[in-house]
């Protein structure tokens, strides 16, 4: 009898962990691939980046959850991928982007090792950080509407499936829309001959190159959105479920891991938030001390999912870009809503926040530096002027 109970107690967190990995992967891998393509990655480099992200985040989750006996889930930076889509290709192409990934990883590492720097990052007004995030997401979230105008027969079934799933099975809304899109793609645009000839998982080295423009326009915003939109909410989810891990070692580990995968095309790793909740709540296991097993299973599932990265890239490459952007836009609507709500919550900071949002969403680029940075500068300048006036 006790053995049966033990097996039942093991099955529950294992299922929760695998489900968390599948939901996390299916909900945002299209955004990650869109981001890599936007900054100049070839299909092989994009597949390498996705593989590196999956394997490293899986291994890191396995190591940290086993070591700390806590449900620590590591994920790629979905807002960071959206930032890459909004930023576009830097001068010098993907090697420059890889250099920016490495610099962002260095900043995450610094936040973990040097407490004054971590406190300085935390001091950035949340209204401005969220407004920048909303500006980054806006263009992607408009894709479903554009797709309805351009290809209604393909876009409308995807949006309808997402809406119905959102109403009746909210957790699975995005994965279901991905599945519907995949069926439509197979029916409407069959894969060309030879598209799946090289789908064996493999890493491709990209020698990072560095530029001031990419450091300011990609690395700094990537670091900021990763910290504000992933690491901080990830810690909040763990705290809400009674877990209190020290943030410094987690930031240090994710910074080192992000640096390790940057030359293979991976952009950034961080604490998960939504998928962390799947592994940290009571559904994963009634006993909080046993929920780390769900994180262990999630990590293992991510490693296995990473082996299909080349297939995912080949499939996406043969698909109508606007339809893929539709799925990505639907996946990010909730994030856009949350960012706008947080950005506009404080009436005193509302105008600086709107300025940050509008500047970021405009796509402004000066001296090769992208709009996300200028959005923070514009909103911050208004906030400083307001304080001087008072």
């Amino acid at each position: 009898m006790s053995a049966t109970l033990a097996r039942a107690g093991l099955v529950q967190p294992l299922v929760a962990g695998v489900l968390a990995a599948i939901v996390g992967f299916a909900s945002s891998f299209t955004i990650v691939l869109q981001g890599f393509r936007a900054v100049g990655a070839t299909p092989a480099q994009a597949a390498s980046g996705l593989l590196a992200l999956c394997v490293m985040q899986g291994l890191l989750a396995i190591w940290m959850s086993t070591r700390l006996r806590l449900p620590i889930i590591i994920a790629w930076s979905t807002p960071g991928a959206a930032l890459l889509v909004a930023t576009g290709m830097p001068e010098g192409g993907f090697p420059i982007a890889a250099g920016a990934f490495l610099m962002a990883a260095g900043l995450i590492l610094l936040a973990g090792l040097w407490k004054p720097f971590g406190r300085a990052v935390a001091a950035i007004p949340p209204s401005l950080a969220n407004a920048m995030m909303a500006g980054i997401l806006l263009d992607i979230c408009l894709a479903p509407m554009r797709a309805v105008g351009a290809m209604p027969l393909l876009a409308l079934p995807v949006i309808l499936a997402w809406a119905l799933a959102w109403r009746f099975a909210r957790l699975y809304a995005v994965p279901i829309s991905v599945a519907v899109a995949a069926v439509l793609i197979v029916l409407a645009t069959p894969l060309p001959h030879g598209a799946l000839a090289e789908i064996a998982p493999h890493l491709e080295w990209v020698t990072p190159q560095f530029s001031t423009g990419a450091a300011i326009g990609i690395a700094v915003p990537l670091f900021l959105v990763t910290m504000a939109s992933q690491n901080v909410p990830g810690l909040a989810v763990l705290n809400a479920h009674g877990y209190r891990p020290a943030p410094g070692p987690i930031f240090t580990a994710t910074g080192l891991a992000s640096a390790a995968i940057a030359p293979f095309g991976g952009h950034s790793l961080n604490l998960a938030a939504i998928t962390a909740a799947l592994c940290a709540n009571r559904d994963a296991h009634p006993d909080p001390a046993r929920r780390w097993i769900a994180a262990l299973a999630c990590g293992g599932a991510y490693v296995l999912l990473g082996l299909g990265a080349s297939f995912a890239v080949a499939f996406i490459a043969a698909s109508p870009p606007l339809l893929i952007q539709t799925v990505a836009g639907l996946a990010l609507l909730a994030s856009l809503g949350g960012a706008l709500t947080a950005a506009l919550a404080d009436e005193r900071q509302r105008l600086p926040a709107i300025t940050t949002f509008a500047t970021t969403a405009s796509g402004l680029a000066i001296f090769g530096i992208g709009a996300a940075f200028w959005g923070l500068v514009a909103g911050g300048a208004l906030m400083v002027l307001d304080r001087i006036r008072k």
Side-chain angles (χ1 to χ4, degrees):
M1 185 69 174
S2 60
T4 302
L5 290 175
R7 284 195 296 272
L10 187 62
V11 168
Q12 188 174 356
L14 289 177
V15 170
V18 172
L19 175 63
I22 293 173
V23 169
F25 184 90
S27 297
S28 56
F29 81 95
T30 57
I31 304 166
V32 172
L33 293 179
Q34 288 269 324
F36 290 155
R37 291 172 63 177
V39 292
T42 65
Q45 290 169 338
S48 174
L50 185 61
L51 171 62
L53 285 168
C54 286
V55 171
M56 185 59 79
Q57 70 191 33
L59 293 177
L60 193 55
I62 291 171
W63 177 70
M64 296 194 76
S65 60
T66 303
R67 180 172 177 268
L68 301 176
R69 289 298 196 271
L70 297 175
I72 304 293
I73 304 296
I74 305 299
W76 55 55
S77 176
T78 302
L83 168 70
L84 300 182
V85 175
T87 301
M89 188 184 304
E91 185 176 350
F94 197 55
I96 292 292
F101 300 164
L102 191 57
M103 287 186 279
L107 292 173
I108 296 172
L109 177 61
L110 186 60
L113 293 175
W114 189 31
K115 291 184 179 179
F117 180 66
R119 287 194 293 267
V121 173
I124 295 173
S127 59
L128 297 189
N130 281 286
M132 179 186 70
M133 188 70 253
I136 290 168
L137 297 178
L138 178 63
D139 190 67
I140 303 173
C141 290
L142 294 176
M145 298 72 180
R146 293 172 180 152
V148 169
M151 48 178 66
L153 294 180
L154 292 178
L156 283 174
V158 174
I159 295 172
L160 181 60
W162 170 82
L164 290 174
W166 178 82
R167 170 60 182 85
F168 295 104
R170 192 159 298 188
L171 180 63
Y172 307 101
V174 175
I176 286 173
S177 69
V178 170
V180 172
V183 171
L184 291 172
I185 289 167
V186 169
L187 295 176
T189 56
L191 290 176
H193 180 71
L196 302 180
E198 298 182 8
I199 60 171
H202 67 281
L203 295 172
E204 183 162 320
W205 177 269
V206 180
T207 301
Q209 297 179 14
F210 304 95
S211 75
T212 302
I216 300 174
I218 299 179
V220 171
L222 177 59
F223 164 69
L224 292 176
V225 299
T226 297
M227 294 297 289
S229 301
Q230 293 274 179
N231 280 330
V232 172
L235 286 172
V237 167
L238 289 172
N239 291 340
H241 289 88
Y243 303 102
R244 300 286 188 276
I250 294 176
F251 297 161
T252 300
T254 54
L256 288 171
S258 297
I261 63 175
F264 299 102
H267 65 297
S268 193
L269 294 174
N270 44 248
L271 279 172
I274 296 174
T275 49
L278 294 175
C279 294
N281 67 21
R282 186 176 178 82
D283 290 337
H285 200 284
D287 182 2
R290 300 284 289 171
R291 294 173 193 167
W292 67 272
I293 299 173
L296 187 71
C298 182
Y302 262 123
V303 172
L304 295 177
L305 287 168
L307 301 180
S310 295
F311 175 81
V313 171
F315 192 79
I316 295 299
S319 308
L322 194 54
L323 190 61
I324 299 304
Q325 292 166 19
T326 296
V327 176
L330 294 173
L332 291 171
L333 279 176
S335 297
L336 175 61
L340 284 172
T341 300
L344 304 177
D346 190 339
E347 186 176 355
R348 296 169 299 175
Q349 299 180 3
R350 195 164 291 169
L351 187 58
I354 283 292
T355 301
T356 296
F357 168 72
T359 305
T360 303
S362 71
L364 173 71
I366 303 175
F367 307 124
I369 299 171
F373 175 79
W374 297 119
L376 280 180
V377 169
L382 266 187
M383 197 170 282
V384 170
L385 283 174
D386 184 58
R387 291 176 181 175
I388 291 175
R389 177 181 63 82
K390 292 178 179 178

